[in-house]
Amino acid sequence: LRAQEKKFQNVVQQMKATDSKLLGLIVPQTATLASVQQSLKQDSYEVLCYMVLDDRLLIWHLSGDQTNVRSVWIPRLNLIKKVNLVRESLERPDGEFDQKLSGELFRFLIQPALKWIKSDKVVIIPHEDLNYLPFQVLYDAERKKYVGEIFHLSYAPSATILSKLQKVKNISGGKLLAVDSSDLVAGENEVTALGQLFSGRSKVVVDSR
């Protein structure tokens, strides 16, 4: 382990010496609140960030000029159960979706922050099992609409990564690196399909272990 750690540190030092952008992928720097809010204000969207705890759920709302936080009482296991049931409902062969349960999750996940949201563009930063939940299917019984009909939703793994993303007006002529990990289900098929979209401008790497 010490030998591998030494090799890793040597690579990091080489990246620092060459001012490589790869360093940001290996040793990320946490974004400041000011930098995140600058990005929000510039692109006119808001963020809902979640943290699942054993006995409650924390929801942060971020916009270009304000921050808010709400603690929602729902035990972790109860939340996970509801998320799994909604996902199972989406996969039912009869097509019958559990709108009541979807409405319950809306009241836990969206309703507590709804009064703060002013934009129709919202980025969700989920946590733990919330990564498996399509927030678009949560149902607002008062408006009789799904969240996907109310907001333009996007997702990000963290506020740090979100703040570093830049709008790209046109990706024509762009290049693609698609890497498959052996841990991904059907990952080889996915990266191969993506590579075909960038014909002659892609490199596809498949883990064959």
Side-chain angles (χ1 to χ4, degrees):
L1 288 175
R2 283 193 291 268
Q4 293 301 319
E5 176 66 20
K6 185 176 181 180
K7 289 181 180 180
F8 173 76
Q9 292 301 331
N10 287 337
V11 171
V12 170
Q13 291 303 319
Q14 290 175 19
M15 289 181 178
K16 288 182 178 179
T18 59
D19 195 27
S20 172
K21 292 183 179 180
L22 289 174
L23 184 62
L25 300 176
I26 306 300
V27 187
Q29 295 181 346
T30 303
T32 64
L33 176 60
S35 65
V36 173
Q37 288 189 300
Q38 181 179 359
S39 175
L40 298 180
K41 185 177 295 186
Q42 179 179 342
D43 296 328
S44 302
Y45 67 94
E46 299 175 54
V47 168
L48 290 180
C49 181
Y50 297 84
M51 177 174 286
V52 180
L53 303 178
D54 287 339
D55 60 344
R56 73 194 69 188
L57 172 73
L58 297 180
I59 306 174
W60 283 273
H61 164 263
L62 303 177
S63 69
D65 53 11
Q66 65 174 310
T67 62
N68 304 284
V69 64
R70 177 67 56 86
S71 177
V72 179
W73 185 85
I74 179 171
R76 180 197 302 264
L77 294 180
N78 193 358
L79 177 62
I80 291 174
K81 180 180 179 181
K82 291 179 183 295
V83 169
N84 289 337
L85 288 174
V86 166
R87 293 180 61 209
E88 291 174 6
S89 176
L90 286 169
E91 298 171 359
R92 286 177 184 168
D94 58 12
E96 186 175 348
F97 179 65
D98 193 336
Q99 191 178 81
K100 180 179 178 181
L101 183 58
S102 170
E104 290 180 16
L105 277 178
F106 174 86
R107 290 193 293 275
F108 284 115
L109 299 175
I110 303 296
Q111 185 71 48
L114 197 58
K115 65 180 180 180
W116 298 318
I117 302 175
K118 307 303 180 185
S119 170
D120 63 346
K121 301 176 186 175
V122 177
V123 176
I124 301 292
I125 301 179
H127 184 230
E128 293 192 348
D129 284 69
L130 294 181
N131 281 283
Y132 305 114
L133 177 68
F135 280 66
Q136 285 89 339
V137 305
L138 302 185
Y139 185 68
D140 183 346
E142 183 176 339
R143 302 192 200 186
K144 299 188 184 316
K145 289 184 177 182
Y146 291 95
V147 169
E149 299 176 293
I150 302 172
F151 302 111
H152 299 288
L153 290 189
S154 302
Y155 297 86
S158 71
T160 295
I161 292 178
L162 179 63
S163 67
K164 294 182 181 298
L165 296 177
Q166 297 180 350
K167 282 188 174 181
V168 179
K169 296 182 179 180
N170 192 339
I171 63 171
S172 62
K175 298 180 180 179
L176 170 72
L177 170 63
V179 181
D180 162 50
S181 167
S182 59
D183 297 330
L184 296 176
V185 178
E188 181 176 348
N189 293 336
E190 291 181 2
V191 296
T192 300
L194 287 171
Q196 293 173 351
L197 298 176
F198 290 77
S199 179
R201 297 178 285 119
S202 66
K203 180 178 178 60
V204 176
V205 180
V206 177
D207 187 343
S208 58
R209 288 180 298 173

